[in-house]
């Protein structure tokens, strides 16, 4: 791979910025200043502007998305989930699926298109677990309805889903639930809960397939996936 592409892929600037930097003598390859952007890099060590640069083809991050940021790669008005990962090397990262702007919780950020495709495939039925606070009382009969496959205004009813009542307060007319979905339709949790008369007031995704938010993580925190997590996701 060319030196300028290597540096550009690793987020060191645009192609023309890094070409310029290389020509000015800011790149050192195997201990020697290299001023030719077209130099082929394979296994050499590269230092740019005094910092060692190693090449990463694929990156995987688990982000605890806070409310108020959009699940997009860029947005003219709003901060995006990618703005929350300052350590990223690649410029081609994207969120795997979406959480609404006001939803918090686990979001996988990667540039592995193949993995994203397989996780989002409707045939794969990757489990997604959500915690929600809702208005109204969630009752055992709702649990049964969800188990059978709730009709919620779409042509096809939802796939059978596991609804757990964590707390239901008749005095305050609010409930807390955990919901496990095996699919990911547009605003699915909010629409399913609204369909039983219990609109969502707070929503957080706890897990997706084998990935779970760490107990120590706070909204806005992120970390690279471990090798074991990547293998489990691909498995
Ligand atoms: N379901 C929703 O309604 N919103 C989300 O952000 C995720 C699932």
């Amino acid at each position: 791979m060319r030196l300028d592409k290597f540096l550009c892929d690793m987020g060191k600037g645009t192609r023309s910025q890094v070409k310029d930097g290389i020509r000015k003598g800011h790149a050192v390859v195997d201990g020697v200043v290299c001023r030719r952007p077209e130099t082929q890099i394979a296994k050499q060590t590269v230092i740019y502007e005094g910092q060692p640069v190693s090449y990463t083809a694929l990156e995987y991050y688990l982000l605890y998305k806070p409310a108020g940021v959009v699940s997009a790669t860029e947005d003219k008005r709003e901060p995006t989930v990618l703005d929350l990962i300052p350590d990223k090397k690649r410029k081609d990262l994207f969120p795997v699926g979406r959480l609404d702007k006001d939803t918090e919780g686990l979001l996988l950020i990667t540039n592995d298109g193949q993995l994203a495709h397989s996780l989002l495939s409707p045939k794969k039925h990757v489990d997604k677990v959500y915690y929600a606070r809702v208005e109204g009382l969630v009752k055992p009969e709702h649990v049964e309805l969800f188990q059978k496959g709730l009709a919620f205004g779409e042509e096809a009813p939802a796939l059978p889903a596991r609804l757990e009542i964590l707390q239901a307060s008749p005095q305050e007319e609010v409930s807390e639930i955990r919901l496990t979905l095996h699919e990911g339709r547009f605003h699915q949790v909010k629409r399913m809960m609204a369909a039983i008369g219990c609109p969502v007031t707070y929503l957080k995704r706890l897990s997706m397939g084998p990935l779970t938010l760490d107990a120590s993580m706070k909204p806005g925190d992120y970390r690279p996936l471990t090798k074991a997590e990547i293998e489990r996701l691909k498995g």
Side-chain angles (χ1 to χ4, degrees):
M1 177 184 311
R2 288 172 56 119
L3 176 59
D4 54 355
K5 176 164 167 37
F6 177 103
L7 292 171
C8 183
D9 281 357
M10 291 303 93
K12 295 297 168 188
T14 63
R15 197 73 176 251
S16 65
Q17 283 168 338
V18 297
K19 271 187 187 165
D20 202 42
I22 295 166
R23 290 199 179 106
K24 285 184 175 145
H26 296 175
V28 175
V29 176
D30 273 351
V32 180
V33 172
C34 173
R35 294 177 191 270
R36 289 186 310 115
E38 66 277 17
T39 303
Q40 287 295 319
I41 299 298
K43 295 230 157 98
Q44 302 97 311
T45 61
V46 177
I47 295 176
Y48 188 67
E49 294 178 334
Q51 304 265 328
V53 186
S54 58
Y55 196 80
T56 308
L58 295 171
E59 284 192 286
Y60 305 86
Y61 294 101
L62 188 157
L63 170 70
Y64 187 160
K65 177 194 172 299
V69 297
V70 294
S71 301
T73 52
E74 50 186 28
D75 193 281
K76 290 207 174 71
R77 281 174 292 270
E78 315 276 2
T80 74
V81 288
L82 292 187
D83 295 331
L84 299 176
I85 312 210
D87 290 342
K88 63 183 174 291
K89 293 183 167 183
R90 307 273 327 184
K91 292 179 277 75
D92 52 358
L93 295 177
F94 58 87
V96 177
R98 282 165 188 270
L99 291 177
D100 299 333
K101 187 176 161 193
D102 61 352
T103 299
E104 294 186 353
L106 185 148
L107 195 59
L108 170 63
I109 310 277
T110 185
N111 60 334
D112 187 337
Q114 209 178 336
L115 176 69
H117 187 259
S118 94
L119 290 174
L120 296 175
S121 158
K123 286 189 206 121
K124 272 271 189 139
H125 302 316
V126 173
D127 283 7
K128 277 148 279 202
V129 183
Y130 296 90
Y131 162 85
R133 286 198 286 269
V134 303
E135 286 174 17
L137 277 186
V138 180
K139 302 187 182 133
E141 65 224 47
H142 297 133
V143 173
E144 252 176 69
L145 280 175
F146 276 55
Q147 212 161 21
K148 286 188 186 134
L150 184 79
F152 66 112
E154 288 211 347
E155 222 171 278
L159 290 179
R162 180 176 153 93
L163 174 62
E164 295 161 86
I165 304 170
L166 304 177
Q167 201 158 354
S169 159
Q171 298 85 8
E172 295 167 48
E173 293 256 323
V174 291
S175 309
E176 287 176 50
I177 57 120
R178 187 161 46 221
L179 179 59
T180 305
L181 297 180
H182 311 289
E183 56 187 337
R185 295 195 230 166
F186 185 62
H187 294 327
Q188 187 164 355
V189 177
K190 290 178 184 167
R191 289 164 65 213
M192 287 177 78
M193 296 313 295
I196 58 162
C198 297
V200 168
T201 53
Y202 171 81
L203 182 58
K204 171 176 168 182
R205 181 154 67 192
L206 303 172
S207 69
M208 176 172 167
L211 300 181
T212 306
L213 275 184
D214 310 5
S216 61
M217 286 178 94
K218 297 182 296 301
D221 288 349
Y222 69 94
R223 63 164 176 83
L225 292 194
T226 63
K227 277 210 177 101
E229 284 173 325
I230 297 169
E231 273 162 26
R232 258 179 266 141
L233 274 177
K234 291 185 176 172

